[in-house]
Amino acid sequence: MAKSASPSSVPRRRSRPRAASPTRAPSGVPCSARRRAKRSSFASPPAISPTRSSASASRGAVAMDWADELAQQAVGPQVVNDSKTPSGTVHVGSLRGPVILDVITRALRAQGVRTTLLYGVDDLDPMDAQALLTPDAIDREMGRPLAHVPDPAGDCHASYARHFAGIFIDVFAGLGINPDRYYWMSDIYPTGAMDPYIRLALDRAPLVREIYRRVANVQHPKTWHPIGVICPTCGKVGTTIVSKWDGERVYYECRADLVTWARGCGSSGWISPFGGAAKLPWNLEWAAQWSHFGVTIEPGGKDLSTAGGSRDRSDAIAREVFEREPPLNVPYEFLNIGGRKMSTSKGRGAAAHSIAEVIPPEQLRFLFLRPRPNQAIEFDPEGTDAIPRLFDEFDRFAAATAGREVKGELTPGFEATFRYALLDPEADVAAEAAAFRPAFAHLALLLQIPGVDVAARVEAEKGSPLTAHERGILDRRVAAARAWLDGYAPDTARLTVRHDALPDAAGALETEQRRFLAGLSTAAKAASPAGGDAWQTLIFAAAAAQELPARRAFEAIYLAFLGRPNGPRAGWLLASLDASSVLVRLDEAAGVAVAGAAEGGAS
RNA sequence: GGGCCGGUAGCUCAGCGGCAGAGCACGGGACUUUUAAUCCCUUGGUCGUGGGUUCGAAUCCCACCCGGCUCGCCA
């Protein structure tokens, strides 16, 4: 397993840098926080060490997926955490992190490890995107904490932050991700819970500056202090800078030109940074969250997990400033759409809610959790069969989990992958695996034939009535297939009956096929077939009369009506069309045969 | 410039020291009623390149090439 994911925190732990002045936790830290920190450091990174899984584990009887492998290393209770700035809508790619969090949590619990899943909303972060603000609001709101910016939608939410956080919380819930607790930094700071960390950060400001310089090559001025005061005059947090700390108060300035995206009011003065009057800069806030909540595992996207990046800085701050081993990092790669980064501005990678129309939650979870986290996912849903294949793979995993024989190879731990893809962690896995799932591509086809009773066809395929649960699966898939045909399917998957004229491709009809079409036309005029069954019978009869193999007979029909050599069940297709125009087309196609043959013979 | 991931069949990927694999696509066949379903068979390869280690390398080591993302503001 030499190549197994080896979260970067492992080697780094060995060369753990020591703080210049290794002091004990300061007396200012309340007992509760201190105890929490102590207990968690006991149960944290040293207690869980991935990689190492080693030859013996992989050769063992039980094939595991990555989440189980990771969970197996855990010792003691775990706290899994992530947090997010609620600055806008969520796009699909950003759901990989939450899915990974959830799967890790489920894997831990499956091994009997007591696990808490937390999700933080960093809603004191400054507003820095003006896209959703009205022009007159930009000057006023940019730079204020998101929790203090009014809801742009004007719907019953208390703030911009609550509005957008509400959206992603809903999306998470729809994906079966239900953290034990959502915490809001705008709630945490006023309780004073962050005060001990604020005090530590300020007391050790030189150390913090040194860490930024050493780890990230970021040079702050000598007077820079790691705290962001919320300006008591204009309410902005993005525009203030602190240059002095006297042990109880800081000296702040709200500068007009500190940042380009927001304008400060110019006020300044001494103020207490405690109790919600100020917030820690991101890297410190992150480390403070780890200590406060006793976080032991926190996956991070590659944007954070890069060398010298945010995660490195926060790790160093956790160790040296707050004196706690940082949580285990599970770095994860992103989702690329069509080989490129997804980007809403370029129309790629749609917002989460729009992709959800085409990919139901369980398939979306499956997409995210099947590859190891450190592997980028290439997904190109537009104009490809990527979505049908995603369903097929999911169905294959389901079938294998149900003990049915399955074509091809299966990745190790496929049962776990299937189980974790399910929406409900308490689901009856065996029953879910055994449920009948109609093939996505087949549904997409049936949907395009007018007059087909899809549910009846699916029941016929299954051979027995659908259960209520299977009916639900079918309904979701039908909706997804419709959306797929609407916006994603390649032309080859779309079916269009040429009503106007004989398709060009019909020129390829051979003499026997044309004779068959003529015969079918004659028979149809006599019998006036009423339904798909009747047409189907007629087709076989006409083919037999011409001694034409059924395959070639069907091909003739498809060429005449669709301009392609194959198609949906022909009887039902013809039955769905206007009867007289069907006859006209049959004659037309058969007639062209004569003309074409004549020309061919002449030359 | 630093970091991460990848480069194996047309596509998506598995394999990670012991005969180069799967799914899909393609090609062929079967099927008197599921005809874009289902079943069977076949084709398909310079495992990115060059060195090294080894009895043996897609696999381990070194160097390089290519692609993508990411960081060096802020969060």
Side-chain angles (χ1 to χ4, degrees):
Chain A
M1 291 297 272
K3 260 179 113 175
S4 78
S6 64
S8 53
S9 63
V10 172
R12 219 179 290 132
R13 190 174 341 122
R14 188 156 293 131
S15 58
R16 162 187 195 164
R18 293 294 303 175
S21 54
T23 48
R24 310 230 9 113
S27 52
V29 179
C31 292
S32 61
R34 202 171 189 175
R35 198 161 47 234
R36 194 157 27 218
K38 187 153 194 166
R39 184 176 61 229
S40 53
S41 79
F42 184 53
S44 78
I48 185 165
S49 73
T51 88
R52 200 94 37 162
S53 51
S54 83
S56 68
S58 63
R59 245 186 271 121
V62 185
M64 295 184 298
D65 79 336
W66 60 266
D68 287 336
E69 248 170 53
L70 188 146
Q72 208 187 37
Q73 314 296 324
V75 177
Q78 301 290 322
V79 176
V80 183
N81 178 66
D82 193 7
S83 63
K84 181 171 167 54
T85 305
S87 52
T89 40
V90 198
H91 65 169
V92 207
S94 57
L95 294 176
R96 188 174 191 182
V99 169
I100 285 172
L101 284 188
D102 180 64
V103 169
I104 289 173
T105 301
R106 289 192 193 186
L108 286 164
R109 287 177 178 159
Q111 310 220 351
V113 178
R114 210 175 52 175
T115 305
T116 308
L117 176 57
L118 299 176
Y119 204 96
V121 184
D122 297 329
D123 62 344
L124 282 187
D125 292 353
M127 177 80 184
D128 65 355
Q130 49 180 264
L132 293 161
L133 293 175
T134 55
D136 67 300
I138 287 176
D139 192 48
R140 186 177 65 247
E141 305 296 348
M142 288 294 283
R144 300 185 72 202
L146 291 164
H148 301 167
V149 175
D151 182 352
D155 57 359
C156 62
H157 290 97
S159 67
Y160 187 99
R162 297 276 162 173
H163 175 86
F164 285 104
I167 291 174
F168 72 66
I169 288 170
D170 285 349
V171 171
F172 292 178
L175 274 177
I177 302 165
N178 296 294
D180 298 296
R181 177 185 170 197
Y182 282 101
Y183 60 89
W184 304 73
M185 292 315 288
S186 64
D187 290 341
I188 302 284
Y189 277 97
T191 66
M194 289 291 110
D195 291 352
Y197 306 103
I198 292 174
R199 181 176 295 279
L200 259 177
L202 290 170
D203 285 345
R204 299 177 174 184
L207 173 59
V208 174
R209 291 193 294 266
E210 192 269 323
I211 290 172
Y212 269 79
R213 190 164 59 247
R214 164 162 48 82
V215 177
N217 199 25
V218 171
Q219 185 81 49
H220 281 116
K222 284 189 182 61
T223 56
W224 181 87
H225 282 69
I227 189 73
V229 167
I230 299 171
C231 177
T233 306
C234 70
K236 295 185 180 181
V237 67
T239 53
T240 64
I241 188 163
V242 163
S243 54
K244 295 171 195 157
W245 160 243
D246 72 3
E248 286 305 325
R249 296 176 310 159
V250 293
Y251 183 77
Y252 84 95
E253 293 166 73
C254 183
R255 293 193 187 158
D257 57 354
L258 184 70
V259 292
T260 55
W261 42 273
R263 191 172 178 80
C265 66
S267 69
S268 63
W270 287 92
I271 187 174
S272 164
F274 300 122
K279 81 179 279 291
L280 290 162
W282 194 50
N283 291 123
L284 287 102
E285 185 170 282
W286 202 3
Q289 286 172 351
W290 294 340
S291 287
H292 178 65
F293 293 109
V295 178
T296 60
I297 301 177
E298 179 150 346
K302 72 142 58 169
D303 52 337
L304 309 177
S305 304
T306 191
S310 268
R311 181 60 199 234
D312 271 4
R313 274 175 256 175
S314 291
D315 279 359
I317 288 163
R319 292 192 181 101
E320 302 177 39
V321 180
F322 298 144
E323 298 185 357
R324 178 186 183 274
E325 193 61 15
L328 174 74
N329 188 13
V330 182
Y332 59 89
E333 275 277 347
F334 290 161
L335 172 76
N336 296 326
I337 298 288
R340 317 203 125 235
K341 174 176 106 154
M342 70 174 35
S343 149
T344 32
S345 61
K346 287 173 189 158
R348 277 193 302 268
H353 57 86
S354 97
I355 202 82
E357 291 172 5
V358 209
I359 309 181
E362 296 186 338
Q363 280 72 35
L364 196 54
R365 289 178 63 97
F366 184 72
L367 171 68
F368 284 129
L369 71 87
R370 187 175 36 160
R372 289 185 171 277
N374 65 350
Q375 189 142 23
I377 300 176
E378 300 294 338
F379 191 69
D380 187 3
E382 296 197 30
T384 70
D385 59 353
I387 287 175
R389 291 216 329 244
L390 176 64
F391 277 88
D392 290 347
E393 269 299 284
F394 180 91
D395 293 352
R396 218 165 66 91
F397 275 51
T401 301
R404 290 200 291 276
E405 195 147 339
V406 147
K407 285 204 298 189
E409 299 165 347
L410 287 163
T411 50
F414 65 88
E415 305 97 333
T417 305
F418 175 72
R419 180 157 29 89
Y420 295 140
L422 296 175
L423 216 48
D424 177 6
E426 308 295 323
D428 178 346
V429 178
E432 283 282 358
F436 183 79
R437 292 182 167 78
F440 184 88
H442 192 41
L443 285 183
L445 176 69
L446 291 174
L447 285 174
Q448 297 180 79
I449 310 171
V452 167
D453 180 342
V454 174
R457 297 274 310 115
V458 168
E459 288 210 328
E461 227 170 275
K462 183 195 174 194
S464 61
L466 298 180
T467 64
H469 183 61
E470 289 168 336
R471 185 64 204 229
I473 291 174
L474 172 63
D475 289 345
R476 277 191 296 280
R477 287 190 174 204
V478 164
R482 283 222 165 83
W484 182 68
L485 288 167
D486 259 12
Y488 297 87
D491 290 338
T492 53
R494 290 208 179 87
L495 206 79
T496 40
V497 176
R498 292 287 305 273
H499 289 289
D500 49 340
L502 198 61
D504 293 343
L509 284 167
E510 290 167 16
T511 313
E512 299 80 15
Q513 289 179 306
R514 286 161 176 148
R515 247 202 301 273
F516 155 76
L517 291 173
L520 179 60
S521 169
T522 307
K525 278 167 194 153
S528 302
D533 275 319
W535 270 107
Q536 196 80 353
T537 308
L538 217 54
I539 292 167
F540 278 99
Q546 306 287 336
E547 294 185 339
L548 187 69
R551 177 195 193 79
R552 311 246 338 266
F554 282 105
E555 188 185 81
I557 291 172
Y558 297 131
L559 284 171
F561 287 85
L562 306 174
R564 43 192 299 163
N566 47 33
R569 301 181 71 208
W572 283 262
L573 174 66
L574 298 187
S576 74
L577 302 172
D578 171 63
S580 61
S581 62
V582 168
L583 297 176
V584 169
R585 176 62 55 81
L586 287 174
D587 288 338
E588 205 178 345
V592 163
V594 179
E599 276 167 32
S603 62

PDB file of all heavy atoms in Angstrom, chain A residues 357-358 381-384 387 480-490 494:
ATOM      1  N   GLU A 357     -30.907  17.996 -10.222  1.00  0.00           N
ATOM      2  CA  GLU A 357     -32.052  17.574 -11.041  1.00  0.00           C
ATOM      3  C   GLU A 357     -31.697  16.358 -11.892  1.00  0.00           C
ATOM      4  O   GLU A 357     -32.555  15.572 -12.245  1.00  0.00           O
ATOM      5  CB  GLU A 357     -32.467  18.715 -11.985  1.00  0.00           C
ATOM      6  CG  GLU A 357     -33.071  19.900 -11.277  1.00  0.00           C
ATOM      7  CD  GLU A 357     -33.263  21.060 -12.240  1.00  0.00           C
ATOM      8  OE1 GLU A 357     -33.004  20.892 -13.447  1.00  0.00           O
ATOM      9  OE2 GLU A 357     -33.656  22.138 -11.763  1.00  0.00           O
ATOM     10  N   VAL A 358     -30.445  16.270 -12.263  1.00  0.00           N
ATOM     11  CA  VAL A 358     -30.018  15.189 -13.149  1.00  0.00           C
ATOM     12  C   VAL A 358     -29.391  14.027 -12.397  1.00  0.00           C
ATOM     13  O   VAL A 358     -29.390  12.908 -12.875  1.00  0.00           O
ATOM     14  CB  VAL A 358     -28.966  15.686 -14.163  1.00  0.00           C
ATOM     15  CG1 VAL A 358     -29.062  14.884 -15.431  1.00  0.00           C
ATOM     16  CG2 VAL A 358     -29.131  17.151 -14.417  1.00  0.00           C
ATOM     17  N   PRO A 381     -20.558  15.835 -17.856  1.00  0.00           N
ATOM     18  CA  PRO A 381     -21.932  15.389 -18.070  1.00  0.00           C
ATOM     19  C   PRO A 381     -22.550  15.875 -19.375  1.00  0.00           C
ATOM     20  O   PRO A 381     -23.560  15.339 -19.805  1.00  0.00           O
ATOM     21  CB  PRO A 381     -22.680  15.982 -16.875  1.00  0.00           C
ATOM     22  CG  PRO A 381     -21.911  17.205 -16.518  1.00  0.00           C
ATOM     23  CD  PRO A 381     -20.478  16.938 -16.886  1.00  0.00           C
ATOM     24  N   GLU A 382     -21.958  16.883 -20.005  1.00  0.00           N
ATOM     25  CA  GLU A 382     -22.631  17.486 -21.158  1.00  0.00           C
ATOM     26  C   GLU A 382     -22.281  16.810 -22.475  1.00  0.00           C
ATOM     27  O   GLU A 382     -21.140  16.768 -22.882  1.00  0.00           O
ATOM     28  CB  GLU A 382     -22.287  18.980 -21.236  1.00  0.00           C
ATOM     29  CG  GLU A 382     -22.825  19.725 -20.039  1.00  0.00           C
ATOM     30  CD  GLU A 382     -22.871  21.228 -20.251  1.00  0.00           C
ATOM     31  OE1 GLU A 382     -23.037  21.648 -21.408  1.00  0.00           O
ATOM     32  OE2 GLU A 382     -22.748  21.947 -19.253  1.00  0.00           O
ATOM     33  N   GLY A 383     -23.326  16.280 -23.105  1.00  0.00           N
ATOM     34  CA  GLY A 383     -23.109  15.661 -24.404  1.00  0.00           C
ATOM     35  C   GLY A 383     -22.400  14.323 -24.333  1.00  0.00           C
ATOM     36  O   GLY A 383     -21.862  13.849 -25.324  1.00  0.00           O
ATOM     37  N   THR A 384     -22.364  13.726 -23.163  1.00  0.00           N
ATOM     38  CA  THR A 384     -21.700  12.437 -23.008  1.00  0.00           C
ATOM     39  C   THR A 384     -22.642  11.448 -22.306  1.00  0.00           C
ATOM     40  O   THR A 384     -23.729  11.812 -21.881  1.00  0.00           O
ATOM     41  CB  THR A 384     -20.441  12.548 -22.134  1.00  0.00           C
ATOM     42  OG1 THR A 384     -20.864  12.800 -20.778  1.00  0.00           O
ATOM     43  CG2 THR A 384     -19.543  13.672 -22.595  1.00  0.00           C
ATOM     44  N   ILE A 387     -23.425  10.464 -17.284  1.00  0.00           N
ATOM     45  CA  ILE A 387     -24.490  10.309 -16.285  1.00  0.00           C
ATOM     46  C   ILE A 387     -25.126   8.923 -16.343  1.00  0.00           C
ATOM     47  O   ILE A 387     -25.244   8.258 -15.322  1.00  0.00           O
ATOM     48  CB  ILE A 387     -25.514  11.456 -16.399  1.00  0.00           C
ATOM     49  CG1 ILE A 387     -24.866  12.736 -15.858  1.00  0.00           C
ATOM     50  CG2 ILE A 387     -26.800  11.130 -15.653  1.00  0.00           C
ATOM     51  CD1 ILE A 387     -25.697  13.981 -15.994  1.00  0.00           C
ATOM     52  N   ALA A 480     -34.901  12.399 -13.450  1.00  0.00           N
ATOM     53  CA  ALA A 480     -33.503  12.646 -13.805  1.00  0.00           C
ATOM     54  C   ALA A 480     -33.283  12.432 -15.294  1.00  0.00           C
ATOM     55  O   ALA A 480     -32.595  13.211 -15.956  1.00  0.00           O
ATOM     56  CB  ALA A 480     -32.587  11.731 -12.995  1.00  0.00           C
ATOM     57  N   ALA A 481     -33.888  11.385 -15.827  1.00  0.00           N
ATOM     58  CA  ALA A 481     -33.705  11.083 -17.250  1.00  0.00           C
ATOM     59  C   ALA A 481     -34.310  12.189 -18.115  1.00  0.00           C
ATOM     60  O   ALA A 481     -33.737  12.578 -19.135  1.00  0.00           O
ATOM     61  CB  ALA A 481     -34.341   9.740 -17.592  1.00  0.00           C
ATOM     62  N   ARG A 482     -35.427  12.725 -17.686  1.00  0.00           N
ATOM     63  CA  ARG A 482     -36.035  13.847 -18.421  1.00  0.00           C
ATOM     64  C   ARG A 482     -35.073  15.029 -18.444  1.00  0.00           C
ATOM     65  O   ARG A 482     -34.840  15.645 -19.485  1.00  0.00           O
ATOM     66  CB  ARG A 482     -37.341  14.283 -17.755  1.00  0.00           C
ATOM     67  CG  ARG A 482     -38.501  13.373 -18.025  1.00  0.00           C
ATOM     68  CD  ARG A 482     -39.801  14.151 -18.304  1.00  0.00           C
ATOM     69  NE  ARG A 482     -40.785  13.252 -18.907  1.00  0.00           N
ATOM     70  CZ  ARG A 482     -41.569  12.438 -18.181  1.00  0.00           C
ATOM     71  NH1 ARG A 482     -41.488  12.436 -16.865  1.00  0.00           N
ATOM     72  NH2 ARG A 482     -42.410  11.634 -18.796  1.00  0.00           N
ATOM     73  N   ALA A 483     -34.556  15.347 -17.265  1.00  0.00           N
ATOM     74  CA  ALA A 483     -33.640  16.487 -17.178  1.00  0.00           C
ATOM     75  C   ALA A 483     -32.397  16.232 -18.024  1.00  0.00           C
ATOM     76  O   ALA A 483     -31.858  17.138 -18.647  1.00  0.00           O
ATOM     77  CB  ALA A 483     -33.245  16.733 -15.716  1.00  0.00           C
ATOM     78  N   TRP A 484     -31.978  14.985 -18.029  1.00  0.00           N
ATOM     79  CA  TRP A 484     -30.786  14.640 -18.813  1.00  0.00           C
ATOM     80  C   TRP A 484     -31.042  14.832 -20.309  1.00  0.00           C
ATOM     81  O   TRP A 484     -30.247  15.435 -21.024  1.00  0.00           O
ATOM     82  CB  TRP A 484     -30.386  13.193 -18.524  1.00  0.00           C
ATOM     83  CG  TRP A 484     -29.149  12.740 -19.226  1.00  0.00           C
ATOM     84  CD1 TRP A 484     -27.879  13.173 -18.991  1.00  0.00           C
ATOM     85  CD2 TRP A 484     -29.060  11.767 -20.274  1.00  0.00           C
ATOM     86  NE1 TRP A 484     -27.004  12.524 -19.829  1.00  0.00           N
ATOM     87  CE2 TRP A 484     -27.695  11.656 -20.619  1.00  0.00           C
ATOM     88  CE3 TRP A 484     -29.988  10.966 -20.934  1.00  0.00           C
ATOM     89  CZ2 TRP A 484     -27.242  10.782 -21.608  1.00  0.00           C
ATOM     90  CZ3 TRP A 484     -29.540  10.096 -21.922  1.00  0.00           C
ATOM     91  CH2 TRP A 484     -28.180  10.012 -22.251  1.00  0.00           C
ATOM     92  N   LEU A 485     -32.172  14.348 -20.759  1.00  0.00           N
ATOM     93  CA  LEU A 485     -32.519  14.500 -22.174  1.00  0.00           C
ATOM     94  C   LEU A 485     -32.653  15.977 -22.526  1.00  0.00           C
ATOM     95  O   LEU A 485     -32.267  16.415 -23.595  1.00  0.00           O
ATOM     96  CB  LEU A 485     -33.827  13.769 -22.475  1.00  0.00           C
ATOM     97  CG  LEU A 485     -33.722  12.242 -22.482  1.00  0.00           C
ATOM     98  CD1 LEU A 485     -35.105  11.614 -22.477  1.00  0.00           C
ATOM     99  CD2 LEU A 485     -32.925  11.765 -23.692  1.00  0.00           C
ATOM    100  N   ASP A 486     -33.173  16.727 -21.591  1.00  0.00           N
ATOM    101  CA  ASP A 486     -33.367  18.159 -21.805  1.00  0.00           C
ATOM    102  C   ASP A 486     -32.063  18.915 -21.981  1.00  0.00           C
ATOM    103  O   ASP A 486     -31.930  19.726 -22.882  1.00  0.00           O
ATOM    104  CB  ASP A 486     -34.074  18.756 -20.584  1.00  0.00           C
ATOM    105  CG  ASP A 486     -35.533  18.961 -20.861  1.00  0.00           C
ATOM    106  OD1 ASP A 486     -35.998  18.435 -21.884  1.00  0.00           O
ATOM    107  OD2 ASP A 486     -36.189  19.645 -20.055  1.00  0.00           O
ATOM    108  N   GLY A 487     -31.124  18.640 -21.077  1.00  0.00           N
ATOM    109  CA  GLY A 487     -29.972  19.519 -21.046  1.00  0.00           C
ATOM    110  C   GLY A 487     -28.613  18.890 -21.218  1.00  0.00           C
ATOM    111  O   GLY A 487     -27.624  19.608 -21.306  1.00  0.00           O
ATOM    112  N   TYR A 488     -28.514  17.582 -21.243  1.00  0.00           N
ATOM    113  CA  TYR A 488     -27.186  16.979 -21.228  1.00  0.00           C
ATOM    114  C   TYR A 488     -26.949  15.919 -22.297  1.00  0.00           C
ATOM    115  O   TYR A 488     -25.828  15.743 -22.741  1.00  0.00           O
ATOM    116  CB  TYR A 488     -26.917  16.345 -19.859  1.00  0.00           C
ATOM    117  CG  TYR A 488     -26.905  17.319 -18.712  1.00  0.00           C
ATOM    118  CD1 TYR A 488     -28.071  17.665 -18.049  1.00  0.00           C
ATOM    119  CD2 TYR A 488     -25.710  17.901 -18.294  1.00  0.00           C
ATOM    120  CE1 TYR A 488     -28.057  18.569 -17.003  1.00  0.00           C
ATOM    121  CE2 TYR A 488     -25.675  18.797 -17.247  1.00  0.00           C
ATOM    122  CZ  TYR A 488     -26.862  19.130 -16.600  1.00  0.00           C
ATOM    123  OH  TYR A 488     -26.834  20.016 -15.572  1.00  0.00           O
ATOM    124  N   ALA A 489     -27.981  15.203 -22.648  1.00  0.00           N
ATOM    125  CA  ALA A 489     -27.791  14.014 -23.477  1.00  0.00           C
ATOM    126  C   ALA A 489     -27.149  14.336 -24.825  1.00  0.00           C
ATOM    127  O   ALA A 489     -27.407  15.386 -25.407  1.00  0.00           O
ATOM    128  CB  ALA A 489     -29.130  13.330 -23.697  1.00  0.00           C
ATOM    129  N   PRO A 490     -26.295  13.439 -25.305  1.00  0.00           N
ATOM    130  CA  PRO A 490     -25.741  13.608 -26.654  1.00  0.00           C
ATOM    131  C   PRO A 490     -26.836  13.357 -27.686  1.00  0.00           C
ATOM    132  O   PRO A 490     -27.836  12.702 -27.387  1.00  0.00           O
ATOM    133  CB  PRO A 490     -24.664  12.527 -26.736  1.00  0.00           C
ATOM    134  CG  PRO A 490     -25.082  11.489 -25.747  1.00  0.00           C
ATOM    135  CD  PRO A 490     -25.824  12.210 -24.662  1.00  0.00           C
ATOM    136  N   ARG A 494     -30.795  11.050 -28.342  1.00  0.00           N
ATOM    137  CA  ARG A 494     -32.092  11.686 -28.567  1.00  0.00           C
ATOM    138  C   ARG A 494     -32.741  11.067 -29.786  1.00  0.00           C
ATOM    139  O   ARG A 494     -32.102  10.712 -30.763  1.00  0.00           O
ATOM    140  CB  ARG A 494     -31.915  13.185 -28.787  1.00  0.00           C
ATOM    141  CG  ARG A 494     -31.491  13.914 -27.540  1.00  0.00           C
ATOM    142  CD  ARG A 494     -31.983  15.349 -27.570  1.00  0.00           C
ATOM    143  NE  ARG A 494     -31.581  16.041 -26.350  1.00  0.00           N
ATOM    144  CZ  ARG A 494     -30.405  16.639 -26.220  1.00  0.00           C
ATOM    145  NH1 ARG A 494     -29.549  16.642 -27.222  1.00  0.00           N
ATOM    146  NH2 ARG A 494     -30.095  17.227 -25.085  1.00  0.00           N
TER     147      ARG A 494
END
